[in-house]
Amino acid sequence: MRSDLMKKGNERIPHRALLKATGLTDEEIARPIIGIVNAQNEIIPGHIHLDQIAEAVKAGVRAAGGTPIEFPAIGVCDGIAMNHMGMHYSLPSREHIADSVEIMAVAHPVDALVFIPNCDKIVPGMLMAALRLNIPSIFCSGGPMLPGKVQGKTVALTDAFEAPGAIEVGKKDAAYGREIEEHSCPGCGSCAGLFTANSMNCMTEILGMALPGNGTIPAVSAERIRLAKHAGMKIMELLEKDIKPRDIVTAATIHNGIVADMALGCSTNTILHLPAIAHEAGIPVSLQEINEISDQVPHLVKLNPAGQHFIVDLDDAGGLSAVLKRLDSYGFIDTSVMTASAKPLCEILENAAVLDEDVIRTKETAYSATGGLAVLWGNLCPDGAVVKKGAVLPEMLVHEGLAKCFNSEEECIEGLMKGKVVPGDVVVVRYEGPKGGPGMREMLSPTATLAGMGLDSCCALITDGRFSGVSRGASIGHISPEAASGGMLRLLEDGDIISIDIPAHKLEWKVDDATLAEREKNFKQPKLKEVSGFLKRYRSIVSSASEGAILKVED
């Protein structure tokens, strides 16, 4: 066993003494040591209950003959960190989480790992760690939040972020804002729509790193506790059979993940995280490949914020197994891949069934014949840009408008509130990429403000930053190269014509060669935001969004 490195032999007397200082008995030390990576904390709604999940996981491990040892991981709530200095730390926390798990699991060589995340960057950070370490691993997330109710309408976090803009233009009053504040997030769990947290929890299940139900069983359900116990039991079987993350996450699995991503219309952040996760397994992922899959796979499921259904509705409709079974019936996925259930995907799907044809649609009734996400190309983004196509209103799929440029998210919010953006504009938010931000902040506040003001039906927003899964509208992010790395976005000026054609995968700046040459000649780079500590180190080694914003260091 791997844990023998710290517990076996005469020379390990001091090591065993220290283990016994924690209360472990000889019998417990002799068993396989299972690391329980728990991201529980008291500030993230999706994480406040993870201590209960961890206790259930540990019960399962003990029942199957292992010794669980729990250690923590940090987490950032993107919603709470939004639109202030905190958001600079969200994406960088992904790398910190992966590194910290590696440090803990190597310094204290456990035999296997159970990961307990739930929100935003915690899930991909842990997936990166699992593939990097490549010891038997399984995930059990905390589960989705239930939606709330306000004035007879089912609501979620989307409504909370759109409320300020609606109140600002007089569409809603302060009393409505108070009700949204009280009831849109009714309890524990990852926010109720297909935002980044639930997108990545679903992706973990689709990639085979979690048991069926991981992405959709509600946080408050007893079924979630039973799932956690089964995950604790299952890790012992994975250890016995020596099934490791890289046996599960292969090129075929990543392809399945992209296919399902298109059918579900997940957060654009999945297009940032999947390449980073695949990179840890040595699997290349290209944005062009993502587009090719998107052009073939229909958009079968449309959840909030793009649609009227929520994650709990998908669970009631048969869950992700039902989605995958339908995709398999169309020949889109490889069901021979191994899973953390210690059996191939085809066996998991045998008893799956679609229970609600409105939630999980067919090819014939699909929301669109192509996928819910798209990669755009053009002179503004030669290395690509990403849009959640399924959340764009039909009238905005093709749009041409005048640029309204802002050099930060704060400038953009101020401009919106002062009425600087008018119908038809293309809002440009630059210097918010991985290096420029630094940290590639989510532009949820601008997109939600646009939607709240009713401008999402006539204005687009483009940025080298990224978007929350809560964002909707013609919100185009990940523009690469970013402005801070010499991208063309830096040369735009107010009044320039920008052309967007999402079905054709195009994002173009209509500029002649003479104007472009003059702009390049006279350009002066604005001073980037001064940062220190972790963010300064991050800025120095982070790669482009088109590569997953991974950290690149010299060999």
Side-chain angles (χ1 to χ4, degrees), residues 22 41 57 80 154 186 238 274 369 395 422 426 428 509 527:
T22 69
N41 61 53
V57 166
I80 296 172
T154 305
L238 293 172
L274 268 179
E395 60 267 32
V422 299
V426 176
V428 178
W509 171 24
K527 188 176 181 180

Side-chain angles (χ1 to χ4, degrees), residues 261-266 294 297 299 368 370-374 387-391:
D261 202 356
M262 297 306 151
L264 293 165
C266 292
S294 178
V297 178
H299 188 186
S368 70
T370 56
L373 298 174
V387 63
K388 189 171 182 174
K389 183 175 63 173

